[in-house]
């Protein structure tokens, strides 16, 4: 009998408010960066014109936003932390006229559920302000306080009461990156407001009020100065304004691309496609132009409500928007390129970028396509050439010669030994190495020949050298006689700061100097120097490119970036000595047949196969 009553007992109950809030908070506050976004947007909505963001430990211990906006009354200050408490909409129709950044009334309630919150606020005409402390969604303390007009909200120890989620947070570097991204997205959209960002007591951004153009340069760096093309079109349906970078500023990373709809940062693969299309003939494939575009249209034409963090939106008629955006950019680009014509010159430092050194003109394309080498690789009946490379697990196997072959003494390479040893002992190979297309090295061996890709090979060599450097065999530094300064954008400066210790192991002596500036005191002694300043900039660029690869550590990304960036490029003439050094270095590597990214460093061509092909 007892048993049965237990089974029949009802089991559904309501969750206590603080737990319900914690669960709901999961959608809105995933990481410190989410709080940054919400708090900054609230400050903007409050009509502030000076907004300060302060963070400690990448926001894990503190995210604080101080504004000089309209403030809150005592009652509102308390109400603000209730779920669905908002001053921004009253009914469902308001959703279609929305002019503010917020409207869901969820942000502060969510923050109060997963962190300790301290609020200080005062309206201009009130005698005194209000101070409130909240923990676990419950008010711990409320008292009047003397304060300036505006609001300060400090969120402390995020997820202190949800350890599982706290553990889920990424490294400080990764979380800081998210914060900076969110900060930039808001700051870019409101150039007429002053924004500052202070991280662990250091001011990282100080963005004075100005024009959009000034704001872009403040954020993305001086290199965009005089390199921005203005976009401006107006119709009854929508307006578009903003800037795109001149084609020569296109980078290997997608980073500097911003679309705002009604001042809200959005992600839209669709509109990105429209913009890339407009650029299509002007930039190399795999490169990304900078853009910061503001599309304004009647709020009734969009639905901002599709995504909880509101980064995606639905347009009522997305085809019109697509066509319009594309046309506006094409128009702007055509306008700019009347002089100096479409056939612009590339900046030499950009020209050396991998993506750009690939064939870009039709002439180059066809000369590559007609080269015998290219054809050899594309002709189907010769596919076995390519297949053979999979046999080549390692140089050692490759040069292992069977006893009955040892009589072929006229062969240059591989009399009886293993490759790396052999080449080390006898670097002076009798048979001269041959460079073809200023990109490949042909080296004969006993049973055929090898075709080495000079850039891929060098990338492998450098990668292993750097790997050893950071594993305790640092590369010696050569002090520069004339230290150069390196001025970076604020985001890049934050990034480089994180990389300094590893860069030191790799032979770069860099000292922070002022806000976003570093002094290059010394460079790696054993590595061909050249223009180290732009080399470092390109390493940072490449590093950001790798940043999406979560599986790599910071160090791995740095080493890979450096190896890629500093490798000898194709279309570079090499001397006999350089070729021999490269070949011997390559086969001294632990893994010699592929770049760190898995591209082959060489292909082998088998003499027997060749003979067969020629009917012998
Ligand atoms: P929402 O922004 O969607 O309305 P929030 O939870 O972010 O919801 O904020 C709740 C309310 O608190 C806002 O509608 C606003 O009235 C008030 N508020 C929040 N932050 C500020 C601020 N910095 N200054 C003045 N009022 C604020
Ligand atoms: Mg809000």
């Amino acid at each position: 009998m007892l048993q049965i009553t237990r089974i029949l007992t009802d089991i559904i109950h309501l969750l206590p408010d603080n737990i319900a809030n914690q669960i709901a908070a999961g959608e809105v506050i995933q990481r410190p960066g989410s709080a940054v976004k919400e708090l900054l947007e609230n400050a903007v909505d409050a009509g502030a014109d000076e907004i300060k963001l302060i963070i400690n430990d990448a926001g894990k211990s503190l995210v604080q936003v101080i504004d000089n906006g309209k403030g809150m009354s005592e009652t509102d200050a308390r109400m603000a932390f209730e779920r669905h408490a908002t001053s921004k909409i009253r009914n469902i129709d308001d959703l279609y006229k929305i002019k503010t950044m917020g409207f869901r009334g969820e942000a502060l309630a969510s923050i109060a559920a997963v962190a300790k919150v301290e609020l200080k606020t005062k309206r201009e005409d009130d005698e005194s302000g209000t101070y409130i402390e909240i923990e676990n969604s419950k008010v711990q303390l409320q008292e009047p306080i003397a304060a300036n007009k505006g609001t300060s909200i400090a969120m402390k120890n995020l997820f202190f009461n949800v350890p599982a989620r706290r553990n889920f947070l990424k490294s400080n570097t990764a979380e800081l990156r998210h914060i900076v991204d969110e900060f930039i997205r808001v700051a870019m959209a409101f150039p007429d407001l002053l924004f500052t960002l202070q991280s662990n007591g250091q001011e990282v951004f100080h963005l004075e009020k100005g024009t959009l153009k000034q704001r872009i340069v403040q954020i993305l760096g001086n290199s965009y100065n005089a390199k921005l093309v203005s976009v401006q079109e107006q119709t009854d349906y929508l307006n578009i304004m903003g800037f795109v970078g001149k084609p020569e500023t296109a980078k290997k990373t997608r980073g500097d691309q911003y679309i705002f709809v009604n001042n809200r940062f959005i992600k839209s693969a669709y509109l990105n496609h429209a913009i890339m299309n407009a650029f299509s003939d002007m930039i190399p494939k795999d490169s990304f132009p900078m853009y910061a575009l503001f599309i304004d249209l009647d709020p009734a034409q969009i639905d901002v409500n599709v995504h909880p963090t509101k980064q995606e939106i639905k347009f009522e008629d997305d085809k019109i928007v697509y066509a319009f955006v594309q046309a506006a950019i094409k128009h702007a680009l055509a306008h700019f390129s009347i002089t100096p014509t479409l056939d612009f010159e590339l900046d030499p430092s950009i020209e050396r970028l991998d993506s750009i050194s690939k064939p870009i003109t039709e002439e180059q394309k066809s000369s590559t396509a007609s080269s015998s080498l290219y054809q050899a690789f594309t002709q189907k009946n010769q596919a076995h050439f390519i297949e053979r490379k999979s046999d080549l697990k390692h140089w050692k196997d490759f040069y292992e010669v069977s006893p009955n072959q040892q009589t072929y003494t006229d062969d240059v390479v591989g009399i009886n030994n293993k490759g790396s040893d052999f080449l080390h002992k006898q670097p002076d190979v009798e048979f001269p190495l041959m460079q073809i297309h200023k990109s490949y090295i042909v080296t004969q061996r006993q049973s055929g020949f090898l075709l080495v890709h000079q850039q891929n090979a060098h990338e492998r060599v450098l990668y292993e050298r750097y790997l050893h450097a950071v594993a305790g065999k640092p590369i010696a530094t050569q002090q520069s006689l004339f230290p150069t300064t390196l001025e970076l954008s604020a985001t890049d400066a934050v990034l480089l700061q994180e990389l300094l210790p590893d860069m030191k192991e790799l032979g770069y002596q860099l000292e922070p100097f002022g806000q976003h500036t570093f002094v290059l005191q010394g460079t790696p002694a054993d590595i061909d120097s050249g223009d180290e300043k732009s080399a470092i900039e390109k390493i940072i660029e490449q590093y950001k490119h790798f940043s999406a690869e979560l599986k790599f550590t910071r160090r791995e990304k740095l080493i890979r970036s450096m190896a890629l960036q500093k490798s000898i490029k194709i279309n570079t003439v090499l001397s006999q000595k350089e070729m021999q050094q490269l070949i011997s270095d390559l086969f001294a590597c632990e893994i010699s047949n592929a770049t760190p990214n898995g591209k082959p460093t060489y292909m082998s061509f088998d003499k027997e196969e060749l003979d067969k092909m020629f009917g012998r």
Side-chain angles (χ1 to χ4, degrees):
M1 226 13 222
L2 248 181
Q3 196 82 36
I4 291 164
T5 28
R6 197 176 298 155
I7 288 168
L8 293 178
T9 306
D10 297 330
I11 52 172
I12 299 179
H13 58 94
L14 283 172
L15 287 174
D17 266 0
N18 61 332
I19 302 205
N21 281 344
Q22 275 181 15
I23 295 171
E27 271 202 22
V28 188
I29 306 297
Q30 280 126 12
R31 50 168 27 105
S34 338
V36 165
K37 170 180 188 288
E38 296 296 337
L39 295 177
L40 289 177
E41 289 187 351
N42 279 348
V44 171
D45 284 345
D49 71 348
E50 290 187 8
I51 300 173
K52 294 185 182 137
L53 169 62
I54 299 171
I55 55 167
N56 284 339
D57 299 325
K60 291 173 185 171
S61 59
L62 175 73
V63 171
Q64 181 175 17
V65 172
I66 305 171
D67 70 54
N68 64 351
K70 65 179 180 221
M72 286 177 260
S73 71
E74 196 186 335
T75 318
D76 282 351
R78 216 166 154 145
M79 266 299 276
F81 292 96
E82 296 293 329
R83 208 139 42 105
H84 312 302
T86 181
S87 55
K88 300 170 193 174
I89 60 170
R90 285 192 175 273
N91 53 51
I92 197 71
D93 289 343
D94 291 346
L95 210 51
Y96 301 96
K97 305 177 210 145
I98 203 89
K99 287 254 155 54
T100 51
M101 305 296 285
F103 57 83
R104 292 167 165 259
E106 283 177 334
L108 292 187
S110 300
I111 289 172
V114 291
K116 299 180 186 180
V117 179
E118 293 168 14
L119 163 80
K120 222 194 272 180
T121 188
K122 184 180 136 2
R123 295 182 298 182
E124 185 148 39
D125 297 334
D126 289 346
E127 293 263 295
S128 61
T130 307
Y131 176 77
I132 295 182
E133 262 180 44
I134 299 188
E135 218 179 287
N136 273 326
S137 305
K138 293 202 183 69
V139 176
Q140 306 291 323
L141 177 67
Q142 173 165 358
E143 59 188 24
I145 190 177
N148 293 328
K149 174 202 169 197
T151 303
S152 154
I153 300 184
M155 175 187 91
K156 294 187 169 169
N157 300 334
L158 178 60
F159 300 140
F160 78 101
N161 51 355
V162 208
R165 300 203 47 207
R166 191 171 175 91
N167 294 337
F168 204 67
L169 291 176
K170 300 259 164 54
S171 68
N172 279 10
T173 319
E175 295 300 345
L176 189 61
R177 183 78 232 159
H178 282 287
I179 289 174
V180 170
D181 282 349
E182 297 293 356
F183 175 83
I184 287 177
R185 289 164 186 177
V186 179
M188 184 88 86
F190 298 94
D192 47 348
L193 312 184
L194 177 139
F195 287 90
T196 62
L197 164 53
Q198 182 185 315
S199 164
N200 295 335
Q202 233 201 328
E203 191 166 78
V204 188
F205 283 93
H206 186 102
L207 307 174
E208 293 288 347
K209 297 174 190 176
T211 61
L212 174 60
K213 193 171 182 174
Q214 286 164 333
R215 181 61 47 101
I216 291 173
V217 172
Q218 280 175 326
I219 293 175
L220 301 180
N222 269 331
S223 60
Y224 283 113
N225 214 349
K227 301 254 160 126
L228 298 174
V229 180
S230 159
V231 178
Q232 187 124 37
E233 303 282 345
Q234 295 185 341
T235 67
D236 291 343
Y237 185 72
L238 60 78
N239 298 336
I240 176 169
M241 67 81 103
F243 292 91
V244 295
K246 289 187 181 172
E248 75 255 32
T249 63
K251 291 187 177 172
K252 288 185 84 175
T253 45
R254 194 182 276 288
D256 300 340
Q257 300 189 330
Y258 301 87
I259 306 176
F260 301 85
V261 172
N262 292 354
N263 268 352
R264 194 188 298 283
F265 174 83
I266 60 147
K267 285 186 177 153
S268 167
Y270 188 68
L271 291 186
N272 177 61
H273 190 265
I275 299 163
M276 294 301 276
N277 239 339
F279 267 94
S280 62
D281 292 334
M282 306 183 115
I283 55 169
K285 251 178 60 195
D286 310 330
S287 69
F288 301 93
M290 173 269 159
Y291 56 77
L293 296 169
F294 291 78
I295 299 167
D296 285 321
L297 72 174
D298 181 351
Q301 294 294 326
I302 49 177
D303 181 0
V304 279
N305 210 13
V306 275
H307 192 267
T309 52
K310 294 168 283 188
Q311 283 197 349
E312 280 154 30
I313 59 165
K314 267 201 327 243
F315 293 101
E316 184 72 20
D317 191 339
D318 51 6
K319 288 204 187 67
I320 294 187
V321 183
Y322 184 101
F324 187 76
V325 168
Q326 187 179 6
I329 310 254
K330 274 195 172 157
H331 184 206
L333 286 172
H335 210 260
F336 127 81
S337 56
I338 289 170
T339 44
T341 78
L342 262 178
D343 196 4
F344 53 87
E345 292 256 316
L346 285 178
D347 176 327
S349 66
I350 304 269
E351 214 155 21
R352 264 178 277 131
L353 284 179
D354 207 25
S355 59
I356 294 176
S357 56
K358 283 181 193 149
I360 49 168
T361 65
E362 278 311 308
E363 192 192 22
Q364 276 174 296
K365 265 189 216 153
S366 61
S367 81
T368 315
S370 65
S371 80
S372 52
L373 189 75
Y374 179 86
Q375 284 171 355
F377 286 146
T378 49
Q379 276 172 25
K380 219 171 162 202
N381 62 348
Q382 291 174 26
H384 55 274
F385 274 13
I386 307 209
E387 277 156 26
R388 272 204 61 87
K389 81 171 191 264
S390 57
D391 303 345
L392 285 180
K393 294 276 168 352
H394 198 273
W395 170 263
K396 291 191 173 83
D397 309 333
F398 179 60
Y399 269 82
E400 200 95 65
V401 177
S402 60
N404 62 351
Q405 285 179 311
Q406 286 186 6
T407 46
Y408 296 152
T409 47
D410 59 341
D411 254 329
V412 180
V413 186
I415 295 168
N416 60 3
N417 218 322
K418 304 188 176 188
S420 53
D421 264 346
F422 174 82
L423 281 168
H424 270 310
K425 283 181 198 138
Q426 303 183 45
D428 188 10
V429 185
E430 291 152 56
F431 186 84
L433 295 163
M434 185 170 70
Q435 191 187 27
I436 54 175
H437 292 282
K438 291 190 267 177
S439 305
Y440 293 90
I441 302 166
V442 184
T443 158
Q444 187 180 325
R445 64 178 176 114
Q446 183 167 351
S447 56
F449 68 91
L450 286 187
L451 191 60
V452 179
H453 188 281
Q454 66 192 38
Q455 182 173 351
N456 288 0
H458 197 220
E459 197 186 323
R460 161 57 63 182
V461 168
L462 291 179
Y463 173 76
E464 294 204 2
R465 188 182 303 172
Y466 298 152
L467 208 58
H468 290 141
V470 292
K473 286 188 201 150
I475 293 177
T477 301
Q478 181 169 1
Q479 295 295 324
S480 315
L481 279 180
F482 306 101
T484 43
T485 56
L486 200 70
E487 208 193 313
L488 300 175
S489 71
T491 20
D492 287 355
V494 172
L495 204 151
L496 185 59
Q497 186 72 41
E498 300 275 341
L499 294 177
L500 285 189
D502 284 331
M503 296 285 281
K504 189 146 195 266
E505 303 287 291
L506 293 162
Y508 286 100
Q509 196 186 334
L510 279 156
E511 311 284 347
F513 182 75
Q515 241 191 358
H516 310 143
T517 310
F518 294 82
V519 181
L520 183 59
Q521 305 272 17
T523 54
D526 68 335
I527 292 170
D528 166 42
S529 58
D531 185 357
E532 285 301 337
K533 194 171 147 183
S534 77
I536 292 175
E537 281 163 1
K538 281 186 222 147
I539 289 165
I540 295 174
E541 195 54 39
Q542 186 62 50
Y543 181 88
K544 289 193 282 187
H545 192 58
F546 279 131
S547 286
E549 303 268 1
L550 294 174
K551 60 179 190 282
F552 295 143
T553 61
R554 182 176 73 200
R555 217 171 230 197
E556 180 72 16
K557 281 186 274 195
L558 176 64
I559 295 173
R560 283 175 183 242
S561 307
M562 275 187 61
L564 194 66
Q565 225 21 273
K566 304 220 65 168
S567 53
I568 301 166
K569 299 298 179 284
I570 56 165
N571 284 317
T572 310
V573 177
L574 299 180
S575 69
Q576 270 301 315
K577 218 172 140 203
E578 286 169 329
M579 288 192 279
Q580 276 163 13
Q581 185 67 49
L582 178 59
I583 301 283
S584 95
D585 286 349
L586 176 65
F587 291 106
C589 283
E590 236 155 83
I591 296 172
S592 30
N593 64 352
T595 66
N597 286 330
K599 290 185 201 152
T601 51
Y602 62 85
M603 302 256 174
S604 84
F605 291 78
D606 192 282
K607 185 165 177 299
E608 266 179 38
E609 304 276 4
L610 287 169
D611 289 345
K612 257 192 244 159
M613 285 171 60
F614 288 96
R616 294 285 160 180

